Amino acid sequence: MAVGRRSGGGSSTAKAAVKKALGEMDFNSSGGAINWFPGHMAAATRAIRDRLKVSDLVIEVRDSRIPLSSTNADLQPHLSKKRRVIALNKKDLANPNVMHKWTHHFDSCNQDCLPINAHSKSSVKKLLDLVEIKLKEAISREPTLLVMVVGVPNVGKSALINSIHQIASSHFPVQEKIKRATVGPLPGVTQDIAGFKIAHHPSIYVLDTPGVLVPSIPDIETGLKLALAGSVKDSVVGEERIAQYLLAVLNTRGTPLHWKHSNNRRMEGIRYEPEEKHDYSLKDLRPKKKPPNVSDVLYIEDMVTEVQRALYFSLSEFEGNVENENDLECLIEQQFEVLQKALKIPHKASEARIMVSKKFLTLFRTGKLGPFILDDVPEVNTAS
């Protein structure tokens, strides 16, 4: 029987163990050993600050699985000065039992927050209703109001704006150009701004181009959370490193031990042999030649079951202590081997570990391993 295992968070242990496993790499927000965000992020940040000046309300989109990590600490003072609604997107991938603690946290901070699914029109409509209430109760003098959508990469900004466009087009088929005064040295200068009209009296428009925030990455764990959620490109960090972190989180939380109780019906194991692929989108988990009389849904369900079964047995039979960095590192190495078998990846494949990592990460990112929230809810001092 395994010893020294905690059923709770274990995030500090995961951080320490993975940091050790990755060779004590020097992580910092400006690059260091890893250049997290190559390109023109500084220019993007300046552009956001300029556009904030002409916006009346900001929808800050965050990933529900990382409500704190998926933001930019440097821009928070600018954002907090504006009327703001935090949209926690991808709520379908987040643990609902923890999500209510996060909404309570934001409520206690007097910050409007709403978990959403950007692909659901009814969910987005609730967000727009909140935006309209926030603006109409606060502003009566402006005939035209602007709403800006911002967020770090891959939190669903474009999906949200696409849904807003569809809703706006159904309510206001003829979309008019918006004119607003520019912020600059010349008074009285106006410019055309592209956006979608979502309300009338006053007219409320959502700008059609989102602002891309640069995530703040003060430490390795924040960077790995962002990479795991897909806000940092896999090629920047490496799929194997991200998979190591995911396994550390699962093990220190004792998650695989809960899978047996929630998935008894299919713990018999997988019956069909997949063929390896080099991509990690969900459709590529399917085999090139599907076994007869097996649906894609059943095939992937069987793959998930075998992965969960492998991790359950590897953790339940582990004699070490997952709170010990060296023990946890050994367990993770063992689990790469059992995952390779579970995913039916050929033993001699030269890129076997990368293929294991890609498929394993795909299962997590598509919610097949269950809903998760990686960030811990901060403790708020309520003392008077």
Side-chain angles (χ1 to χ4, degrees):
M1 181 177 177
V3 295
R5 183 178 303 114
R6 287 189 295 179
S7 60
S11 60
S12 60
T13 304
K15 176 180 178 180
V18 175
K19 188 170 184 178
K20 181 179 183 299
L22 302 189
E24 299 289 339
M25 289 189 297
D26 180 23
F27 286 74
N28 59 65
S29 56
S30 60
I34 288 185
N35 186 7
W36 294 98
F37 293 98
H40 312 289
M41 285 299 192
T45 302
R46 287 194 298 270
I48 283 182
R49 286 177 175 156
D50 290 339
R51 297 181 75 188
L52 281 173
K53 295 175 184 176
V54 298
S55 301
D56 300 291
L57 182 142
V58 177
I59 298 174
E60 184 185 357
V61 185
R62 300 188 188 181
D63 191 317
S64 287
R65 297 166 295 179
I66 44 174
L68 282 187
S69 298
S70 57
T71 188
N72 178 295
D74 295 333
L75 272 178
Q76 286 307 304
H78 298 271
L79 295 173
S80 61
K81 291 176 184 176
K82 309 290 294 186
R83 295 177 186 86
R84 173 175 61 167
V85 174
I86 294 177
L88 296 176
N89 190 30
K90 306 184 182 182
K91 70 174 185 177
D92 51 312
L93 300 178
N95 187 333
N97 296 324
V98 182
M99 178 55 66
H100 80 275
K101 297 179 183 178
W102 273 104
T103 55
H104 177 74
H105 165 73
F106 285 115
D107 286 343
S108 68
C109 298
N110 296 316
Q111 172 59 61
D112 288 287
C113 164
L114 187 68
I116 67 165
N117 178 349
H119 295 285
S120 164
K121 285 197 179 72
S122 62
S123 182
V124 175
K125 185 67 170 63
K126 290 179 182 178
L127 175 63
L128 295 182
D129 289 342
L130 176 59
V131 167
E132 190 171 345
I133 291 170
K134 285 276 295 178
L135 283 173
K136 284 190 173 181
E137 71 183 11
I139 302 176
S140 58
R141 64 184 183 277
E142 287 284 351
T144 303
L145 306 173
L146 295 185
V147 177
M148 183 179 180
V149 176
V150 302
V152 304
N154 203 35
V155 290
K157 300 181 299 297
S158 296
L160 175 59
I161 287 180
N162 287 338
S163 292
I164 291 174
H165 185 198
Q166 294 174 21
I167 293 170
S169 298
S170 65
H171 286 83
F172 301 97
V174 179
Q175 292 282 325
E176 309 153 359
K177 284 285 182 78
I178 319 162
K179 285 190 179 292
R180 282 296 293 269
T182 57
V183 177
L186 299 177
V189 176
T190 61
Q191 63 178 349
D192 288 339
I193 302 175
F196 308 121
K197 186 174 184 178
I198 62 168
H200 199 50
H201 299 306
S203 295
I204 301 176
Y205 292 83
V206 177
L207 299 178
D208 70 348
T209 304
V212 181
L213 298 180
V214 185
S216 302
I217 305 182
D219 53 53
I220 179 177
E221 188 172 23
T222 301
L224 288 168
K225 286 177 182 177
L226 286 159
L228 181 54
S231 289
V232 175
K233 289 183 179 179
D234 287 350
S235 58
V236 172
V237 182
E239 290 91 344
E240 188 176 333
R241 291 168 177 165
I242 305 170
Q244 283 177 315
Y245 174 67
L246 175 55
L247 287 169
V249 170
L250 294 176
N251 290 321
T252 53
R253 291 185 177 188
T255 303
L257 301 180
H258 302 299
W259 283 335
K260 180 177 174 64
H261 304 293
S262 62
N263 203 20
N264 276 328
R265 185 176 64 86
R266 302 195 60 80
M267 284 302 267
E268 292 295 322
I270 208 162
R271 297 171 303 211
Y272 313 113
E273 300 242 346
E275 295 188 16
E276 71 277 8
K277 289 254 187 163
H278 292 276
D279 198 359
Y280 52 87
S281 63
L282 186 57
K283 65 181 181 180
D284 290 317
L285 290 172
R286 302 193 299 257
K288 291 180 180 178
K289 294 182 179 179
K290 188 168 59 179
N293 303 319
V294 178
S295 69
D296 290 339
V297 172
L298 179 60
Y299 176 81
I300 293 175
E301 185 180 343
D302 281 343
M303 178 186 293
V304 171
T305 300
E306 183 65 7
V307 165
Q308 292 180 330
R309 180 173 174 270
L311 294 182
Y312 166 77
F313 282 113
S314 64
L315 180 57
S316 63
E317 296 172 0
F318 182 60
E319 295 295 334
N321 184 348
V322 295
E323 293 188 16
N324 179 283
E325 296 171 15
N326 293 322
D327 286 357
L328 181 57
E329 186 179 355
C330 291
L331 173 60
I332 289 172
E333 282 302 304
Q334 294 173 20
Q335 289 175 328
F336 263 95
E337 294 181 10
V338 299
L339 283 174
Q340 183 176 339
K341 295 178 182 177
L343 294 167
K344 303 296 190 294
I345 292 173
H347 180 70
K348 295 182 180 180
S350 59
E351 298 181 354
R353 287 178 71 91
I354 295 297
M355 293 160 62
V356 167
S357 300
K358 285 186 174 183
K359 288 193 173 185
F360 184 50
L361 291 174
T362 297
L363 292 177
F364 172 82
R365 289 167 175 167
T366 53
K368 297 301 179 183
L369 298 181
F372 290 87
I373 292 183
L374 300 171
D375 283 338
D376 295 325
V377 182
E379 292 185 8
V380 178
N381 186 2
T382 56
S384 56

